[in-house]
Protein backbone atom coordinates (compact mmCIF):
# COMPACT_ATOMS: atom_id res chain seq x y z
CA UNK A 1 0.00 0.00 0.00
CA UNK A 2 2.64 2.47 1.08
CA UNK A 3 4.85 1.53 -1.86
CA UNK A 4 2.05 2.10 -4.29
CA UNK A 5 1.36 5.51 -2.77
CA UNK A 6 4.98 6.53 -3.01
CA UNK A 7 5.20 5.35 -6.60
CA UNK A 8 2.07 7.37 -7.36
CA UNK A 9 3.70 10.43 -5.84
CA UNK A 10 6.93 10.02 -7.78
CA UNK A 11 5.14 9.62 -11.08
CA UNK A 12 3.11 12.72 -10.27
CA UNK A 13 6.28 14.69 -9.53
CA UNK A 14 7.87 13.86 -12.87
CA UNK A 15 4.71 14.67 -14.71
CA UNK A 16 4.31 18.04 -13.02
CA UNK A 17 7.95 18.91 -13.75
CA UNK A 18 7.38 18.10 -17.40
CA UNK A 19 4.18 20.05 -17.64
CA UNK A 20 5.83 23.03 -15.94
CA UNK A 21 8.55 23.04 -18.60
CA UNK A 22 6.14 22.71 -21.49
CA UNK A 23 3.86 25.37 -20.03
CA UNK A 24 6.68 27.85 -19.76
CA UNK A 25 7.83 27.16 -23.30
CA UNK A 26 4.57 26.74 -25.12
CA UNK A 27 0.96 27.42 -24.30
CA UNK A 28 -0.19 27.51 -20.70
CA UNK A 29 -2.88 25.05 -19.67
CA UNK A 30 -5.11 25.76 -16.70
CA UNK A 31 -7.01 22.78 -15.37
CA UNK A 32 -10.15 24.18 -13.79
CA UNK A 33 -12.07 21.75 -11.58
CA UNK A 34 -15.83 22.28 -11.19
CA UNK A 35 -17.44 20.30 -8.42
CA UNK A 36 -20.31 20.31 -5.94
CA UNK A 37 -22.83 17.80 -4.66
CA UNK A 38 -25.65 16.53 -6.86
CA UNK A 39 -27.99 19.34 -8.03
CA UNK A 40 -25.59 22.05 -6.84
CA UNK A 41 -25.58 23.46 -10.36
CA UNK A 42 -22.40 22.11 -12.02
CA UNK A 43 -23.88 21.38 -15.44
CA UNK A 44 -25.60 24.74 -15.73
CA UNK A 45 -22.44 26.45 -14.48
CA UNK A 46 -20.11 24.86 -17.04
CA UNK A 47 -22.59 25.48 -19.86
CA UNK A 48 -23.03 29.15 -18.98
CA UNK A 49 -19.30 29.58 -18.33
CA UNK A 50 -18.36 28.33 -21.78
CA UNK A 51 -21.15 30.27 -23.53
CA UNK A 52 -20.09 33.45 -21.72
CA UNK A 53 -16.43 32.94 -22.63
CA UNK A 54 -17.29 32.39 -26.28
CA UNK A 55 -19.56 35.49 -26.28
CA UNK A 56 -18.08 37.82 -23.73
CA UNK A 57 -20.29 40.92 -23.59
CA UNK A 58 -21.61 40.05 -20.14
CA UNK A 59 -18.18 39.35 -18.66
CA UNK A 60 -17.02 42.89 -17.88
CA UNK A 61 -15.51 41.99 -14.52
CA UNK A 62 -12.86 39.77 -16.07
CA UNK A 63 -9.88 42.14 -16.32
CA UNK A 64 -8.47 40.78 -19.57
CA UNK A 65 -11.91 40.91 -21.20
CA UNK A 66 -12.63 44.43 -19.95
CA UNK A 67 -9.27 45.57 -21.31
CA UNK A 68 -10.11 44.05 -24.68
CA UNK A 69 -7.17 41.66 -24.54
CA UNK A 70 -9.12 38.45 -25.15
CA UNK A 71 -9.19 38.44 -28.93
CA UNK A 72 -10.88 35.12 -29.52
CA UNK A 73 -12.19 32.03 -27.78
CA UNK A 74 -12.87 28.64 -29.32
CA UNK A 75 -13.59 25.08 -28.29
CA UNK A 76 -10.88 22.54 -29.01
CA UNK A 77 -10.53 18.78 -28.74
CA UNK A 78 -9.77 17.96 -25.13
CA UNK A 79 -6.38 16.48 -24.18
CA UNK A 80 -7.66 13.38 -22.33
CA UNK A 81 -8.92 10.84 -24.83
CA UNK A 82 -10.42 8.53 -22.22
CA UNK A 83 -12.64 11.08 -20.46
CA UNK A 84 -16.17 11.75 -21.66
CA UNK A 85 -16.51 15.18 -23.27
CA UNK A 86 -18.80 17.64 -21.48
CA UNK A 87 -21.83 17.82 -23.74
CA UNK A 88 -21.79 21.59 -24.11
CA UNK A 89 -23.82 21.81 -27.30
CA UNK A 90 -26.73 19.66 -26.05
CA UNK A 91 -26.79 21.45 -22.70
CA UNK A 92 -26.82 24.88 -24.31
CA UNK A 93 -29.52 23.78 -26.75
CA UNK A 94 -31.68 22.75 -23.77
CA UNK A 95 -31.33 26.22 -22.25
CA UNK A 96 -31.73 28.22 -25.44
CA UNK A 97 -34.38 26.16 -27.25
CA UNK A 98 -37.94 27.15 -28.12
CA UNK A 99 -39.06 25.44 -24.91
CA UNK A 100 -36.13 26.14 -22.57
CA UNK A 101 -35.47 23.45 -20.00
CA UNK A 102 -32.66 22.59 -17.59
CA UNK A 103 -30.05 20.18 -18.96
CA UNK A 104 -29.30 16.70 -17.58
CA UNK A 105 -27.26 16.88 -14.37
CA UNK A 106 -23.68 15.72 -13.89
CA UNK A 107 -23.51 11.98 -13.25
CA UNK A 108 -19.90 11.33 -14.12
CA UNK A 109 -16.62 13.11 -14.73
CA UNK A 110 -16.35 15.00 -18.02
CA UNK A 111 -14.05 17.47 -19.66
CA UNK A 112 -14.03 20.32 -22.16
CA UNK A 113 -11.19 22.50 -23.48
CA UNK A 114 -11.79 26.13 -24.31
CA UNK A 115 -8.83 28.06 -25.69
CA UNK A 116 -8.45 31.82 -25.50
CA UNK A 117 -6.25 34.02 -27.65
CA UNK A 118 -5.00 36.68 -25.29
CA UNK A 119 -2.90 39.77 -25.84
CA UNK A 120 -0.48 40.06 -22.90
CA UNK A 121 -1.12 42.88 -20.46
CA UNK A 122 1.15 44.91 -18.19
CA UNK A 123 4.88 45.09 -18.92
CA UNK A 124 4.75 42.63 -21.78
CA UNK A 125 1.86 44.28 -23.57
CA UNK A 126 3.87 46.09 -26.21
CA UNK A 127 6.56 43.45 -26.59
CA UNK A 128 4.89 40.14 -27.28
CA UNK A 129 2.18 39.00 -29.65
CA UNK A 130 -0.98 37.24 -28.52
CA UNK A 131 -0.63 33.82 -26.94
CA UNK A 132 -2.99 30.98 -26.40
CA UNK A 133 -4.23 29.95 -22.99
CA UNK A 134 -6.04 26.63 -22.74
CA UNK A 135 -8.63 26.15 -20.03
CA UNK A 136 -9.44 22.50 -19.43
CA UNK A 137 -12.70 22.40 -17.51
CA UNK A 138 -13.12 19.19 -15.51
CA UNK A 139 -16.63 18.65 -14.13
CA UNK A 140 -16.93 15.91 -11.49
CA UNK A 141 -19.35 14.97 -8.68
CA UNK A 142 -18.48 16.37 -5.26
CA UNK A 143 -19.63 13.06 -3.79
CA UNK A 144 -16.38 11.58 -5.09
CA UNK A 145 -14.38 14.01 -2.96
CA UNK A 146 -16.28 12.99 0.15
CA UNK A 147 -15.02 9.46 -0.45
CA UNK A 148 -11.60 10.67 0.57
CA UNK A 149 -12.69 10.27 4.19
CA UNK A 150 -13.05 6.53 3.57
CA UNK A 151 -9.36 6.03 2.79
CA UNK A 152 -8.23 6.12 6.40
CA UNK A 153 -11.11 4.05 7.76
CA UNK A 154 -11.28 0.29 8.09
CA UNK A 155 -14.42 -1.63 7.32
CA UNK A 156 -15.42 -2.33 10.92
CA UNK A 157 -14.99 1.29 12.03
CA UNK A 158 -16.75 2.69 8.99
CA UNK A 159 -19.64 0.24 9.44
CA UNK A 160 -20.12 1.09 13.11
CA UNK A 161 -20.18 4.85 12.40
CA UNK A 162 -22.57 4.51 9.45
CA UNK A 163 -24.99 2.32 11.40
CA UNK A 164 -24.98 4.57 14.43
CA UNK A 165 -25.71 7.64 12.23
CA UNK A 166 -28.62 5.80 10.65
CA UNK A 167 -30.25 4.80 13.94
CA UNK A 168 -32.09 8.08 14.44
CA UNK A 169 -33.44 8.29 10.88
CA UNK A 170 -36.89 6.94 10.12
CA UNK A 171 -36.06 6.25 6.49
CA UNK A 172 -33.23 3.92 7.56
CA UNK A 173 -35.74 1.41 8.98
CA UNK A 174 -35.81 -1.05 6.05
CA UNK A 175 -32.05 -1.24 5.76
CA UNK A 176 -31.54 -1.55 9.54
CA UNK A 177 -34.17 -4.31 9.71
CA UNK A 178 -32.33 -6.23 7.02
CA UNK A 179 -29.08 -5.81 8.97
CA UNK A 180 -30.78 -7.23 12.08
CA UNK A 181 -31.85 -10.26 10.11
CA UNK A 182 -28.37 -10.78 8.66
CA UNK A 183 -25.69 -12.98 10.19
CA UNK A 184 -22.34 -11.54 9.12
CA UNK A 185 -20.58 -14.79 10.05
CA UNK A 186 -22.68 -16.80 7.58
CA UNK A 187 -21.15 -17.75 4.25
CA UNK A 188 -21.44 -15.07 1.56
CA UNK A 189 -24.41 -15.55 -0.74
CA UNK A 190 -24.56 -13.14 -3.65
CA UNK A 191 -28.36 -12.58 -3.45
CA UNK A 192 -28.02 -11.53 0.19
CA UNK A 193 -25.09 -9.25 -0.65
CA UNK A 194 -27.11 -7.65 -3.43
CA UNK A 195 -30.17 -7.21 -1.23
CA UNK A 196 -28.03 -5.51 1.44
CA UNK A 197 -26.34 -3.25 -1.09
CA UNK A 198 -29.70 -2.35 -2.62
CA UNK A 199 -31.26 -1.53 0.77
CA UNK A 200 -28.19 0.52 1.72
CA UNK A 201 -28.36 2.42 -1.59
CA UNK A 202 -32.05 3.14 -1.06
CA UNK A 203 -31.20 4.49 2.36
CA UNK A 204 -28.47 6.74 0.90
CA UNK A 205 -30.95 7.97 -1.69
CA UNK A 206 -33.42 8.80 1.07
CA UNK A 207 -30.64 10.70 2.90
CA UNK A 208 -30.07 12.68 -0.27
CA UNK A 209 -33.79 13.35 -0.68
CA UNK A 210 -33.92 14.61 2.91
CA UNK A 211 -31.35 17.21 1.89
CA UNK A 212 -28.31 15.55 3.52
CA UNK A 213 -24.96 16.02 1.84
CA UNK A 214 -22.75 13.28 3.21
CA UNK A 215 -24.10 10.21 1.47
CA UNK A 216 -20.89 8.21 0.98
CA UNK A 217 -19.71 6.02 -0.69
CA UNK A 218 -20.26 8.51 -3.50
CA UNK A 219 -20.46 5.96 -6.30
CA UNK A 220 -23.51 4.30 -4.73
CA UNK A 221 -25.58 7.28 -5.81
CA UNK A 222 -23.56 8.14 -8.91
CA UNK A 223 -22.15 4.80 -10.10
CA UNK A 224 -21.10 5.93 -13.58
CA UNK A 225 -20.08 2.79 -15.43
CA UNK A 226 -19.58 0.76 -12.23
CA UNK A 227 -23.28 0.01 -11.64
CA UNK A 228 -23.82 -3.58 -10.52
CA UNK A 229 -20.13 -4.42 -10.13
CA UNK A 230 -18.83 -6.12 -6.95
CA UNK A 231 -17.01 -2.96 -5.79
CA UNK A 232 -20.46 -1.44 -5.34
CA UNK A 233 -22.13 -4.55 -3.90
CA UNK A 234 -21.51 -4.09 -0.19
CA UNK A 235 -23.05 -2.46 2.84
CA UNK A 236 -21.96 -1.62 6.37
CA UNK A 237 -22.48 -4.62 8.68
CA UNK A 238 -22.40 -4.81 12.47
CA UNK A 239 -19.37 -6.53 13.98
CA UNK A 240 -19.85 -10.31 13.69
CA UNK A 241 -18.34 -12.83 16.10
CA UNK A 242 -16.25 -15.54 14.42
CA UNK A 243 -16.65 -14.19 10.89
CA UNK A 244 -14.10 -16.38 9.14
CA UNK A 245 -12.90 -16.66 5.58
CA UNK A 246 -15.67 -16.66 3.02
CA UNK A 247 -18.12 -15.07 5.46
CA UNK A 248 -20.38 -12.21 4.45
CA UNK A 249 -18.56 -9.83 6.82
CA UNK A 250 -15.12 -10.69 5.46
CA UNK A 251 -16.19 -10.48 1.85
CA UNK A 252 -17.94 -7.13 2.32
CA UNK A 253 -14.82 -5.84 4.06
CA UNK A 254 -12.79 -6.97 1.06
CA UNK A 255 -15.12 -5.14 -1.33
CA UNK A 256 -14.94 -2.01 0.81
CA UNK A 257 -11.14 -2.14 0.50
CA UNK A 258 -11.43 -2.72 -3.25
CA UNK A 259 -13.71 0.34 -3.50
CA UNK A 260 -11.00 2.41 -1.85
CA UNK A 261 -8.09 1.09 -3.89
CA UNK A 262 -9.78 0.62 -7.28
CA UNK A 263 -12.29 3.47 -7.32
CA UNK A 264 -11.40 6.20 -4.85
CA UNK A 265 -7.62 6.30 -5.19
CA UNK A 266 -7.49 6.21 -9.01
CA UNK A 267 -9.86 9.18 -9.18
CA UNK A 268 -7.58 11.22 -6.95
CA UNK A 269 -4.44 10.09 -8.76
CA UNK A 270 -5.66 10.47 -12.33
CA UNK A 271 -7.90 13.52 -12.11
CA UNK A 272 -7.92 15.36 -8.83
CA UNK A 273 -4.12 15.59 -8.55
CA UNK A 274 -3.92 17.49 -11.83
CA UNK A 275 -6.30 20.32 -10.98
CA UNK A 276 -4.85 23.85 -10.70
CA UNK A 277 -7.91 25.92 -9.86
CA UNK A 278 -11.16 24.78 -8.32
CA UNK A 279 -14.69 26.06 -7.91
CA UNK A 280 -16.91 24.29 -5.39
CA UNK A 281 -20.61 24.95 -5.99
CA UNK A 282 -22.95 24.79 -3.02
CA UNK A 283 -26.72 24.99 -3.01
CA UNK A 284 -26.85 26.89 0.26
CA UNK A 285 -30.42 28.09 -0.31
CA UNK A 286 -31.62 24.54 -1.00
CA UNK A 287 -30.10 23.31 2.26
CA UNK A 288 -31.59 26.19 4.25
CA UNK A 289 -34.95 25.40 2.77
CA UNK A 290 -34.55 21.71 3.73
CA UNK A 291 -33.87 22.69 7.35
CA UNK A 292 -31.20 22.78 10.06
CA UNK A 293 -30.12 19.13 9.76
CA UNK A 294 -29.43 19.62 6.04
CA UNK A 295 -27.43 22.79 6.74
CA UNK A 296 -25.35 21.07 9.39
CA UNK A 297 -24.72 18.13 7.12
CA UNK A 298 -23.76 20.47 4.30
CA UNK A 299 -21.37 22.33 6.59
CA UNK A 300 -19.66 19.07 7.53
CA UNK A 301 -19.55 17.91 3.93
CA UNK A 302 -18.04 21.23 2.83
CA UNK A 303 -15.39 20.96 5.52
CA UNK A 304 -14.35 17.57 4.22
CA UNK A 305 -14.55 18.64 0.56
CA UNK A 306 -12.37 21.66 1.34
CA UNK A 307 -10.05 19.49 3.43
CA UNK A 308 -9.22 17.60 0.23
CA UNK A 309 -7.60 20.76 -1.12
CA UNK A 310 -5.32 21.10 1.88
CA UNK A 311 -4.55 17.58 3.06
CA UNK A 312 -2.66 16.98 6.29
CA UNK A 313 1.06 16.20 6.00
CA UNK A 314 0.86 12.43 6.39
CA UNK A 315 -2.25 11.67 4.43
CA UNK A 316 -2.66 9.57 1.32
CA UNK A 317 -3.36 12.74 -0.63
CA UNK A 318 -0.32 14.73 0.37
CA UNK A 319 1.89 11.79 -0.61
CA UNK A 320 0.11 11.78 -3.93
CA UNK A 321 0.38 15.50 -4.51
CA UNK A 322 4.02 15.84 -3.35
CA UNK A 323 3.87 19.45 -2.39
CA UNK A 324 1.64 20.45 -5.27
CA UNK A 325 -1.46 22.46 -4.41
CA UNK A 326 -4.61 23.68 -5.98
CA UNK A 327 -3.71 27.34 -6.22
CA UNK A 328 -7.15 28.87 -5.87
CA UNK A 329 -10.39 27.58 -4.44
CA UNK A 330 -13.68 29.43 -4.83
CA UNK A 331 -16.78 28.49 -2.86
CA UNK A 332 -19.84 29.66 -4.75
CA UNK A 333 -23.37 29.67 -3.34
CA UNK A 334 -25.39 28.93 -6.48
CA UNK A 335 -28.87 29.89 -7.71
CA UNK A 336 -28.57 33.36 -6.17
CA UNK A 337 -31.26 34.47 -8.61
CA UNK A 338 -33.76 33.09 -6.07
CA UNK A 339 -32.93 36.09 -3.91
CA UNK A 340 -33.19 39.82 -4.47
CA UNK A 341 -29.67 41.23 -4.73
CA UNK A 342 -30.13 43.04 -1.41
CA UNK A 343 -29.86 39.62 0.23
CA UNK A 344 -26.81 38.38 -1.68
CA UNK A 345 -24.32 39.60 0.96
CA UNK A 346 -26.10 37.50 3.59
CA UNK A 347 -25.94 34.43 1.34
CA UNK A 348 -22.26 35.03 0.64
CA UNK A 349 -21.60 35.42 4.36
CA UNK A 350 -22.94 31.92 5.02
CA UNK A 351 -20.71 30.42 2.33
CA UNK A 352 -17.80 32.49 3.68
CA UNK A 353 -18.43 31.24 7.22
CA UNK A 354 -18.26 27.63 6.03
CA UNK A 355 -15.07 28.40 4.16
CA UNK A 356 -13.53 30.12 7.20
CA UNK A 357 -14.22 27.13 9.37
CA UNK A 358 -12.57 24.77 6.90
CA UNK A 359 -9.65 27.17 6.56
CA UNK A 360 -9.14 27.33 10.29
CA UNK A 361 -8.97 23.58 10.45
CA UNK A 362 -6.79 22.93 7.44
CA UNK A 363 -4.38 25.87 7.83
CA UNK A 364 -5.03 27.36 4.43
CA UNK A 365 -2.51 30.09 5.16
CA UNK A 366 -1.63 32.12 2.09
CA UNK A 367 -3.74 30.11 -0.30
CA UNK A 368 -6.17 31.91 -2.58
CA UNK A 369 -9.69 31.23 -1.39
CA UNK A 370 -12.87 33.25 -1.64
CA UNK A 371 -16.64 32.87 -1.37
CA UNK A 372 -19.31 34.38 -3.62
CA UNK A 373 -23.00 34.14 -4.50
CA UNK A 374 -23.61 33.44 -8.15
CA UNK A 375 -26.28 32.36 -10.58
CA UNK A 376 -24.99 30.61 -13.67
CA UNK A 377 -28.27 31.28 -15.41
CA UNK A 378 -30.46 34.06 -14.18
CA UNK A 379 -34.02 32.74 -14.32
CA UNK A 380 -35.71 35.62 -12.50
CA UNK A 381 -36.22 39.37 -12.50
CA UNK A 382 -36.38 41.46 -9.35
CA UNK A 383 -39.37 43.41 -8.18
CA UNK A 384 -40.63 45.14 -5.04
CA UNK A 385 -44.15 44.96 -3.68
CA UNK A 386 -45.76 46.27 -0.57
CA UNK A 387 -47.22 43.65 1.68
CA UNK A 388 -49.00 44.40 4.96
CA UNK A 389 -47.51 47.87 5.00
CA UNK A 390 -43.99 46.59 4.38
CA UNK A 391 -41.90 46.73 1.22
CA UNK A 392 -40.91 43.23 0.12
CA UNK A 393 -38.07 42.62 -2.32
CA UNK A 394 -39.05 39.69 -4.50
CA UNK A 395 -37.93 37.81 -7.57
CA UNK A 396 -40.27 36.68 -10.33
CA UNK A 397 -39.82 33.80 -12.72
CA UNK A 398 -41.64 31.19 -14.75
CA UNK A 399 -42.78 27.88 -13.28
CA UNK A 400 -43.24 24.63 -15.14
CA UNK A 401 -46.28 24.95 -17.37
CA UNK A 402 -45.56 28.62 -18.06
CA UNK A 403 -47.22 30.22 -15.02
CA UNK A 404 -45.42 33.29 -13.62
CA UNK A 405 -44.74 33.35 -9.91
CA UNK A 406 -43.18 35.80 -7.48
CA UNK A 407 -40.99 34.40 -4.72
CA UNK A 408 -40.02 35.83 -1.41
CA UNK A 409 -37.42 33.32 -0.23
CA UNK A 410 -37.43 34.58 3.36
CA UNK A 411 -35.13 36.99 5.15
CA UNK A 412 -31.64 35.56 5.52
CA UNK A 413 -30.01 36.78 8.72
CA UNK A 414 -27.04 39.12 8.29
CA UNK A 415 -25.11 37.10 10.82
CA UNK A 416 -24.36 33.59 9.45
CA UNK A 417 -24.24 32.21 13.00
CA UNK A 418 -28.01 32.66 13.12
CA UNK A 419 -28.25 29.90 10.52
CA UNK A 420 -25.19 27.79 11.31
CA UNK A 421 -25.68 27.92 15.09
CA UNK A 422 -29.13 26.29 15.31
CA UNK A 423 -28.02 23.80 12.65
CA UNK A 424 -25.02 22.89 14.76
CA UNK A 425 -27.18 22.57 17.86
CA UNK A 426 -29.41 20.02 16.15
CA UNK A 427 -32.60 22.10 16.04
CA UNK A 428 -35.42 20.32 14.21
CA UNK A 429 -36.60 23.46 12.40
CA UNK A 430 -35.88 27.16 12.09
CA UNK A 431 -37.40 28.95 15.05
CA UNK A 432 -38.64 32.26 13.76
CA UNK A 433 -38.09 32.15 10.06
CA UNK A 434 -39.50 30.43 7.05
CA UNK A 435 -37.48 29.82 3.89
CA UNK A 436 -38.68 28.74 0.52
CA UNK A 437 -37.30 28.11 -2.93
CA UNK A 438 -39.08 27.55 -6.23
CA UNK A 439 -38.16 25.46 -9.21
CA UNK A 440 -38.10 28.19 -11.84
CA UNK A 441 -37.75 27.18 -15.46
CA UNK A 442 -34.99 28.75 -17.49
CA UNK A 443 -36.28 31.95 -19.09
CA UNK A 444 -36.92 32.24 -22.79
CA UNK A 445 -33.87 34.05 -24.07
CA UNK A 446 -33.18 36.04 -27.15
CA UNK A 447 -29.48 36.82 -27.00
CA UNK A 448 -27.92 39.65 -28.97
CA UNK A 449 -24.74 39.02 -30.94
CA UNK A 450 -21.74 38.77 -28.63
CA UNK A 451 -23.89 38.08 -25.57
CA UNK A 452 -23.87 34.90 -23.49
CA UNK A 453 -26.75 33.84 -21.22
CA UNK A 454 -27.62 36.23 -18.36
CA UNK A 455 -25.94 35.37 -15.07
CA UNK A 456 -25.02 36.79 -11.70
CA UNK A 457 -21.30 37.27 -10.94
CA UNK A 458 -19.99 34.58 -13.29
CA UNK A 459 -17.46 37.14 -14.50
CA UNK A 460 -16.24 37.80 -10.98
CA UNK A 461 -15.90 34.07 -10.42
CA UNK A 462 -13.82 33.74 -13.60
CA UNK A 463 -11.64 36.69 -12.63
CA UNK A 464 -10.91 35.12 -9.27
CA UNK A 465 -10.26 31.65 -10.70
CA UNK A 466 -8.13 32.37 -13.75
CA UNK A 467 -7.87 36.16 -14.16
CA UNK A 468 -4.20 36.21 -13.14
CA UNK A 469 -3.29 33.79 -15.92
CA UNK A 470 -4.84 35.82 -18.74
P1 LIG B 1 -25.50 19.29 -11.07
O1 LIG B 1 -26.14 18.05 -10.52
O2 LIG B 1 -24.52 19.87 -10.08
O3 LIG B 1 -24.92 19.13 -12.45
O4 LIG B 1 -26.67 20.38 -11.15
P2 LIG B 1 -27.35 21.08 -12.43
O5 LIG B 1 -26.41 22.02 -13.08
O6 LIG B 1 -27.98 20.04 -13.28
O7 LIG B 1 -28.48 21.95 -11.68
C1 LIG B 1 -29.49 21.32 -10.94
C2 LIG B 1 -30.74 22.17 -10.99
O8 LIG B 1 -30.56 23.36 -10.28
C3 LIG B 1 -31.12 22.62 -12.39
O9 LIG B 1 -31.86 21.63 -13.06
C4 LIG B 1 -31.93 23.87 -12.11
O10 LIG B 1 -33.23 23.51 -11.71
C5 LIG B 1 -31.22 24.44 -10.91
N1 LIG B 1 -30.24 25.47 -11.26
C6 LIG B 1 -28.92 25.31 -11.53
N2 LIG B 1 -28.32 26.50 -11.75
C7 LIG B 1 -29.27 27.44 -11.61
C8 LIG B 1 -29.29 28.89 -11.69
O11 LIG B 1 -28.26 29.56 -11.95
N3 LIG B 1 -30.49 29.51 -11.45
C9 LIG B 1 -31.63 28.81 -11.14
N4 LIG B 1 -32.75 29.49 -10.91
N5 LIG B 1 -31.64 27.47 -11.05
C10 LIG B 1 -30.50 26.80 -11.27
Amino acid sequence: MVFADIADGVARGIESAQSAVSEALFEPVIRLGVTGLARAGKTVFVTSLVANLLDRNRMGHVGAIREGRVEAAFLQPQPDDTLPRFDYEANLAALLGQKPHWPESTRNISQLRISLRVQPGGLLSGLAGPRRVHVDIVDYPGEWLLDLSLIDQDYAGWSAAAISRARGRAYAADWLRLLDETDGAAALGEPRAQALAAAFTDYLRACRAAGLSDCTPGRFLLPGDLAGSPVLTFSPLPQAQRAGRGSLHREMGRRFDAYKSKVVKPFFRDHFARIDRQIVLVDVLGAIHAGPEAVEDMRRAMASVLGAFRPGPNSFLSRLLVGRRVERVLIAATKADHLHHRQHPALTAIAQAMLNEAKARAEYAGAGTDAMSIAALRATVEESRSHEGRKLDLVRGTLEGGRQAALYAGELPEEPAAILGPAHDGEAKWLDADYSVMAFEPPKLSLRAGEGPPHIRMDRAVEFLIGDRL
Side-chain angles (χ1 to χ4, degrees):
M1 186 77 85
V2 172
F3 276 119
D5 289 348
I6 292 172
D8 286 344
V10 172
R12 172 69 223 143
I14 293 169
E15 192 194 321
S16 62
Q18 280 171 346
S19 65
V21 171
S22 66
E23 263 191 30
L25 288 180
F26 306 112
E27 300 172 343
V29 177
I30 310 168
R31 289 182 69 96
L32 171 64
V34 177
T35 197
L37 300 172
R39 314 292 297 161
K42 299 178 288 295
T43 309
V44 179
F45 176 85
V46 175
T47 307
S48 170
L49 172 68
V50 173
N52 276 295
L53 286 176
L54 292 174
D55 290 302
R56 296 176 290 283
N57 282 2
R58 293 191 205 259
M59 298 295 272
H61 284 285
V62 180
I65 294 177
R66 188 180 56 243
E67 292 156 19
R69 292 191 289 105
V70 178
E71 296 180 347
F74 37 96
L75 292 175
Q76 293 233 81
Q78 65 190 55
D80 295 280
D81 292 330
T82 54
L83 276 188
R85 180 179 182 276
F86 180 85
D87 199 351
Y88 168 68
E89 291 77 7
N91 293 334
L92 188 70
L95 291 174
L96 297 186
Q98 274 307 312
K99 280 210 171 127
H101 57 96
W102 299 105
E104 284 267 323
S105 290
T106 299
R107 308 202 62 80
N108 206 337
I109 186 166
S110 68
Q111 193 184 48
L112 191 68
R113 166 169 283 194
I114 180 164
S115 301
L116 308 173
R117 197 167 69 234
V118 187
Q119 186 68 42
L123 286 176
L124 289 177
S125 53
L127 300 173
R131 63 198 173 106
R132 273 204 223 182
V133 179
H134 304 292
V135 185
D136 289 345
I137 303 169
V138 184
D139 168 21
Y140 63 94
E143 284 77 358
W144 297 5
L145 287 183
L146 292 181
D147 278 349
L148 187 62
S149 67
L150 301 180
I151 296 272
D152 296 323
Q153 300 186 52
D154 64 14
Y155 178 63
W158 172 71
S159 290
I163 294 170
S164 102
R165 260 200 312 274
R167 289 266 177 238
R169 297 174 179 164
Y171 46 81
D174 288 347
W175 173 53
L176 292 175
R177 191 170 329 105
L178 194 61
L179 289 186
D180 285 341
E181 293 163 4
T182 301
D183 175 10
L188 166 89
E190 204 55 43
R192 168 64 54 161
Q194 284 169 7
L196 283 163
F200 178 49
T201 309
D202 285 345
Y203 157 67
L204 292 177
R205 251 186 231 120
C207 292
R208 182 75 240 166
L212 299 188
S213 302
D214 185 357
C215 311
T216 50
R219 293 297 202 293
F220 278 61
L221 295 185
L222 294 168
D225 45 14
L226 293 173
S229 63
V231 279
L232 298 192
T233 313
F234 66 91
S235 151
L237 283 180
Q239 200 50 285
Q241 296 296 320
R242 289 187 299 282
R245 279 176 66 180
S247 65
L248 192 60
H249 195 278
R250 272 282 184 97
E251 179 61 15
M252 292 225 154
R254 202 191 59 71
R255 291 178 183 185
F256 175 75
D257 289 338
Y259 182 83
K260 293 195 293 182
S261 64
K262 303 226 165 68
V263 179
V264 181
K265 286 189 176 184
F267 163 71
F268 281 94
R269 186 187 58 221
D270 300 339
H271 304 300
F272 181 81
R274 299 165 64 204
I275 286 171
D276 305 307
R277 308 286 166 103
Q278 177 71 50
I279 180 164
V280 180
L281 303 175
V282 201
D283 186 2
V284 176
L285 284 174
I288 293 176
H289 173 61
E293 191 189 5
V295 169
E296 175 60 8
D297 198 60
M298 179 182 67
R299 186 191 61 77
R300 263 193 260 117
M302 287 320 296
S304 64
V305 161
L306 292 169
F309 297 100
R310 295 293 178 272
N314 292 317
S315 65
F316 149 75
L317 252 191
S318 55
R319 287 197 297 274
L320 182 70
L321 299 174
V322 278
R324 207 187 123 91
R325 289 187 157 190
V326 177
E327 299 150 336
R328 293 193 176 190
V329 181
L330 178 64
I331 307 297
T334 51
K335 312 181 196 178
D337 57 328
H338 284 93
L339 285 182
H340 191 277
H341 75 269
R342 190 177 54 73
Q343 291 214 57
H344 290 177
L347 180 63
T348 306
I350 296 171
Q352 184 77 51
M354 290 194 299
L355 173 62
N356 288 350
E357 187 197 288
K359 274 164 81 164
R361 279 208 306 172
E363 295 172 17
Y364 267 57
T369 55
D370 203 359
M372 271 177 208
S373 308
I374 66 166
L377 191 93
R378 181 173 203 152
T380 63
V381 291
E382 297 187 339
E383 67 183 37
S384 297
R385 283 191 198 169
S386 45
H387 176 72
E388 293 173 359
R390 207 155 65 96
K391 193 180 101 181
L392 276 190
D393 291 326
L394 312 168
V395 296
R396 184 163 45 80
T398 308
L399 298 176
E400 201 180 341
R403 196 165 60 82
Q404 289 267 314
L407 166 70
Y408 179 65
E411 195 65 28
L412 289 182
E414 270 166 34
E415 198 35 67
I419 289 283
L420 298 174
H424 186 259
D425 297 341
E427 301 291 347
K429 55 187 178 56
W430 306 116
L431 279 185
D432 41 37
D434 202 7
Y435 299 106
S436 40
V437 285
M438 271 180 181
F440 290 117
E441 291 290 291
K444 188 139 177 46
L445 296 172
S446 48
L447 301 179
R448 280 188 292 244
E451 242 176 26
H455 61 78
I456 298 173
R457 283 185 213 98
M458 288 289 280
D459 47 352
R460 290 180 196 267
V462 170
E463 175 63 17
F464 174 79
L465 288 165
I466 62 170
D468 61 316
R469 302 284 297 271
L470 300 179

